[in-house]
């Protein structure tokens, strides 16, 4: 048995940062930020860094041996672990065991490979769905395990909760520098716009686009009343880079806009209608499930640690995302190919 204590990532020594799920929404955003921010800046690429963005085509992370070979190939010193089986409300409700089992396998294999390959730091991506259904708001980092998660996504939520448990166990037994981030609802370029399995914003963007193209009504599932905090993927990417380089504690950090930035699903749909330029019939199907009404999360810990941070205004970020989708429709993840 060996115990490790590693310094934070500084960029002054050779570092290999492996990003699992690197071709997805957040992985692509991290790649964009690393490549476009000034070199050597707080969020830009540092001297001596090599960033590697991998997808499931390189390794099925549910398989321990494929995961081991991936780590052998790239020999990462640091890992941002984004890979997961993800989906929207209705997919989570339909495939609870699949979401539980696949994500437990992925997470366990990645963390164990990081441990056996002596990685200096791992930041894993959780979700606000890990929080209890019955809880006092706002959500904060101390409330993750204080009750069962919402019934609609308990498979995914329990698998993600276990990452926090494993991080603590690896730290206590082996001194590993493993931690996690808890983003609120993420959106941006390179999202999954598949109508079957997407989250609310990309799903509504695609649905509204098709309604405009085909001259059909735009119908939004649910009442439109639930409230959510949405974070633009480029903003979240900067926060992941900050956490990798500057945050050195096992306890998770909520990465989010402030509670005052909550918007309703109706406000989201209204903004999408405007950005897409849809002028047809637009309504809400109130017979469909809404999911949790609201789950506001506090970003106080984040702001206390990172200092002043400028989030992209929601409507600007949404317009940018819609524009990207319209310009890249043929190559976007729409489930039509």
């Amino acid at each position: 048995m060996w115990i490790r204590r590693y310094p934070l990532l500084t960029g002054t020594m050779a570092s290999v940062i492996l990003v699992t799920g690197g071709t997805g929404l957040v992985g692509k955003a991290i790649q964009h930020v690393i490549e476009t921010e000034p070199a050597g800046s707080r969020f830009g690429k540092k001297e001596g860094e090599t960033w590697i963005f991998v997808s499931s085509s390189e390794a099925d992370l549910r398989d321990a041996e494929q995961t081991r070979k991936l780590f052998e190939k790239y020999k990462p010193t640091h890992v941002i672990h984004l890979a997961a089986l993800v989906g929207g409300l209705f997919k989570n409700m339909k495939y609870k065991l699949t979401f539980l089992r696949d994500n437990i396998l992925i997470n366990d294999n990645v963390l164990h490979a990081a441990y056996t390959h002596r990685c200096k730091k791992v930041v894993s991506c959780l979700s606000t769905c890990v929080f209890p259904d019955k809880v006092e708001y706002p959500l904060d980092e101390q409330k993750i395990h204080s009750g069962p998660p919402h019934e609609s996504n308990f498979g995914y939520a329990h698998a993600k909760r276990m990452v926090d448990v494993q991080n603590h166990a690896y730290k206590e037994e082996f001194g590993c520098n493993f931690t996690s981030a808890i983003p609120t609802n993420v959106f941006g370029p390179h999202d999954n716009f598949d109508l079957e399995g997407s989250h609310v914003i990309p799903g509504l963007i695609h649905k509204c686009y098709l309604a405009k193209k085909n001259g059909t009504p735009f119908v939004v599932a649910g009442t439109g009343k639930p409230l959510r905090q949405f974070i633009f993927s480029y903003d979240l990417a900067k926060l992941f880079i900050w956490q990798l380089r500057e945050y050195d504690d096992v306890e998770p950090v909520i990465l989010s806009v402030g509670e005052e930035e909550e918007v309703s699903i109706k406000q989201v749909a209204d903004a999408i209608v405007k950005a897409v330029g849809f002028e047809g019939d637009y309504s809400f199907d109130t017979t469909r499930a809404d999911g949790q009404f609201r789950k506001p999360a506090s970003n106080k810990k984040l702001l206390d640690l990172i200092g002043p941070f400028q989030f992209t205004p929601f409507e600007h970020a949404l317009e940018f995302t819609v524009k990207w989708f319209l310009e890249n429709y043929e190559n976007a993840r729409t489930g039509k190919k």
Side-chain angles (χ1 to χ4, degrees):
M1 183 185 300
W2 39 271
I3 305 292
R4 303 167 301 166
R5 304 291 180 198
Y6 287 119
L8 286 174
L9 179 60
T10 63
T12 57
M13 298 175 63
S15 301
V16 178
I17 304 99
L18 179 70
V19 182
T20 70
T23 59
L25 168 63
V26 181
K28 282 289 190 182
I30 293 173
Q31 185 174 9
H32 170 83
V33 170
I34 286 294
E35 292 176 352
T36 59
E37 288 289 308
S41 66
R42 192 178 196 188
F43 305 117
K45 187 176 181 180
K46 302 285 190 182
E47 182 182 352
E49 285 184 351
T50 299
W51 287 77
I52 298 167
F53 298 85
V54 297
S55 71
S56 57
S57 64
E58 280 204 64
D60 182 346
L61 299 178
R62 296 171 299 180
D63 183 275
E65 182 61 15
Q66 289 190 41
T67 307
R68 184 191 66 78
K69 288 180 178 177
L70 182 73
F71 276 69
E72 282 289 331
K73 178 179 179 180
Y74 291 115
K75 297 178 173 55
T77 58
H78 300 74
V79 178
I80 296 180
H81 174 39
L82 307 174
L85 175 66
V86 297
L89 171 64
F90 300 106
K91 198 168 183 179
N92 267 278
M93 292 171 67
K94 186 175 181 180
Y95 302 109
K96 289 177 181 176
L97 178 63
T98 301
F99 274 83
L100 175 69
R101 190 164 186 269
D102 283 8
N103 284 300
I104 284 176
L105 289 170
I106 290 168
N107 298 332
D108 186 53
N109 288 335
V110 168
L111 292 180
H112 189 66
Y115 160 69
T116 57
H117 288 79
R118 306 192 180 199
C119 292
K120 298 177 182 179
K121 179 95 174 265
V122 178
V123 180
S124 296
C125 185
L126 307 188
S127 163
T128 51
C129 75
V130 301
F131 287 102
D133 180 30
K134 309 298 182 187
V135 66
E136 184 177 339
Y137 292 109
L139 304 174
D140 65 48
E141 292 83 355
Q142 304 303 314
K143 298 175 181 176
I144 296 174
H145 304 285
S146 59
H150 192 266
E151 173 70 16
S152 64
N153 54 22
F154 81 83
Y156 181 77
H158 278 299
K160 286 293 187 180
R161 278 187 182 190
M162 284 305 299
V163 174
D164 179 57
V165 174
Q166 287 177 287
N167 285 345
H168 280 81
Y170 273 110
K171 179 181 176 64
E172 290 178 20
E173 189 166 345
F174 301 118
C176 297
N177 192 4
F178 294 176
T179 189
S180 57
I182 308 176
T184 47
N185 302 271
V186 194
F187 71 100
H190 300 281
D191 207 338
N192 175 16
F193 295 88
D194 184 346
L195 294 177
E196 162 102 15
S198 63
H199 288 99
V200 60
I201 286 182
L204 290 178
I205 290 172
H206 190 184
K207 196 171 186 180
C208 189
Y209 163 81
L210 292 176
K212 179 181 179 182
K213 178 182 177 183
N214 299 326
T216 54
F218 175 44
V219 181
V220 180
T223 65
K225 295 178 181 178
L227 301 169
R228 293 291 182 267
Q229 287 160 289
F230 293 100
I231 184 168
F232 186 42
S233 60
Y234 290 2
D235 294 341
L236 180 60
K238 292 177 181 178
L239 297 179
F240 265 106
I241 294 164
W242 161 80
Q243 191 169 1
L244 182 73
R245 291 174 174 165
E246 300 182 37
Y247 180 74
D248 193 24
D249 193 90
V250 68
E251 298 298 337
V253 182
I254 292 172
L255 306 183
S256 174
V257 299
E259 301 161 58
E260 69 281 1
E261 300 298 325
E262 272 187 315
V263 295
S264 71
I265 301 304
K266 184 181 186 305
Q267 288 175 293
V268 171
D270 288 348
I272 289 171
V273 165
K274 179 182 176 183
V276 171
F278 179 74
E279 298 178 348
D281 293 333
Y282 161 41
S283 63
F284 291 82
D285 180 359
T286 58
T287 66
R288 301 289 298 277
D290 270 336
Q292 287 175 274
F293 176 66
R294 67 190 294 259
K295 44 181 181 179
S298 170
N299 67 352
K300 183 179 185 305
K301 178 178 178 178
L302 168 67
L303 296 183
D304 285 347
L305 291 166
I306 196 173
F309 183 84
Q310 184 64 51
F311 289 97
T312 307
F314 174 74
E315 288 208 358
H316 293 176
L318 186 65
E319 289 172 7
F320 185 93
T321 303
V322 169
K323 184 173 184 290
W324 182 91
F325 175 74
L326 297 177
E327 291 174 352
N328 295 275
Y329 182 77
E330 293 304 316
N331 297 314
R333 290 186 289 163
T334 60
K336 297 299 181 183
K337 295 182 281 292

